[in-house]
Amino acid sequence: MTDAPALFLGQSFEGAPERLLLNRANRHGVVAGATGTGKTVTLQIMAQGFSEAGVPVFCADVKGDLSGISQGGGVEKFAERAGKMGLTLNGKSAPVVFWDLYGQKGHPIRATVSDVGPVLLARMLELNDVQEGVLTVAFHVADKEGLLLLDLEDLRALLAYVGENAQTIGREVGNVSPTSIAAIQRALLQLEQQGGKAFFGEPALRLEDMMRTALDGRGQVNVLDATRLMNSPRLYAAFLLWLLS
């Protein structure tokens, strides 16, 4: 038994409380179970528990049901269930901020191409080693010329410039293949068709925008609306990779 700060998750079959120690909460975990077994509720409990402990939370809502923690509740059957578990039900809502890459169901999320960088962008576009090298050369040219890459149109224009001056640039940094440039342009087109144009641009999101606490000290719960984003796997992966990096 320990008195260390912990999140209450539920009860075991024997009726013993199951808690997650906050000093062990930086590990990876998975919540698994069949439909209707309480996976979503468990995630909501964890998100609200972290918030109550003053820890900001980020969660991707792929079905639209995690957003319920933004509203208070006091359903009688929930209170009855909590009473049987020896708990007092707190129907207080969490301090939630909604985000949406498309800017329709939450604050829009933006990142500049320069912020993402060539390595991460190459992974987003699923480029091979040669194509990644050409993309790195393009970013090198932008840095050398003092060019800020804001959106995909800027990157397209830069790649066109690199292609037109391939011989001159190649003498300094190595061969720049027109075939690789064409492949990158096609990959950018695919990303743009999945909604990438909405993600790349200004104003760029700062991590500090999510790592906030409310006036009462509770951590801000950031809910990404991913109901539409799930249909664009390349863009979804691009955003998560950028956020984690």
Side-chain angles (χ1 to χ4, degrees), residues 6-230:
L7 306 181
F8 176 81
L9 299 180
Q11 285 185 337
S12 66
F13 286 111
E14 294 77 18
E18 297 291 344
R19 294 184 172 89
L20 172 65
L21 297 176
L22 287 179
N23 60 5
R24 293 291 185 270
N26 60 344
R27 273 64 170 174
H28 294 286
V30 59
V31 179
T35 301
T37 54
K39 298 185 297 297
T40 298
V41 173
T42 300
L43 292 175
Q44 289 176 323
I45 290 173
M46 293 178 66
Q48 192 149 8
F50 281 121
S51 175
E52 293 288 343
V55 180
V57 177
F58 173 83
C59 52
D61 191 2
V62 298
K63 295 194 299 181
D65 45 10
L66 286 177
S67 59
I69 61 174
S70 65
Q71 303 297 315
V75 181
E76 183 177 345
K77 65 177 182 179
F78 290 163
E80 181 181 350
R81 169 66 173 163
K84 292 179 180 179
M85 299 174 67
L87 302 173
T88 301
L89 182 65
N90 180 3
K92 184 168 57 175
S93 62
V96 175
V97 174
F98 291 100
W99 302 89
D100 182 8
L101 261 68
Y102 302 100
Q104 296 177 348
K105 297 182 179 180
H107 297 289
I109 296 178
R110 300 286 183 270
T112 66
V113 173
S114 293
D115 286 339
V116 173
V119 176
L120 186 55
L121 187 59
R123 295 187 63 181
M124 295 178 186
L125 300 176
E126 300 178 2
L127 304 181
N128 60 33
D129 291 342
V130 175
Q131 294 161 358
E132 181 179 349
V134 172
L135 185 63
T136 302
V137 168
F139 272 78
H140 169 75
V141 172
D143 290 340
K144 185 178 179 181
E145 300 294 333
L147 303 175
L148 181 61
L149 302 175
L150 300 179
D151 53 28
L152 295 183
E153 290 300 321
D154 290 344
L155 183 55
R156 286 184 177 281
L158 175 64
L159 289 170
Y161 172 80
V162 171
E164 293 169 357
N165 298 272
Q167 290 186 348
T168 303
I169 295 172
R171 285 194 292 268
E172 178 184 350
V173 295
N175 183 46
V176 177
S177 168
T179 304
S180 294
I181 292 179
I184 297 171
Q185 293 279 31
R186 288 193 297 270
L188 287 174
L189 179 61
Q190 290 180 339
L191 182 62
E192 186 173 333
Q193 289 176 339
Q194 289 191 8
K197 193 172 184 178
F199 174 54
F200 290 98
E202 286 190 310
L205 175 73
R206 300 178 305 166
L207 193 58
E208 294 83 0
D209 295 332
M210 292 185 173
M211 298 294 103
R212 293 179 174 178
T213 56
L215 294 177
D216 58 4
R218 291 183 296 164
Q220 175 176 298
V221 180
N222 303 279
V223 178
L224 172 69
D225 181 82
T227 52
R228 177 184 172 189
L229 190 58
M230 280 292 292

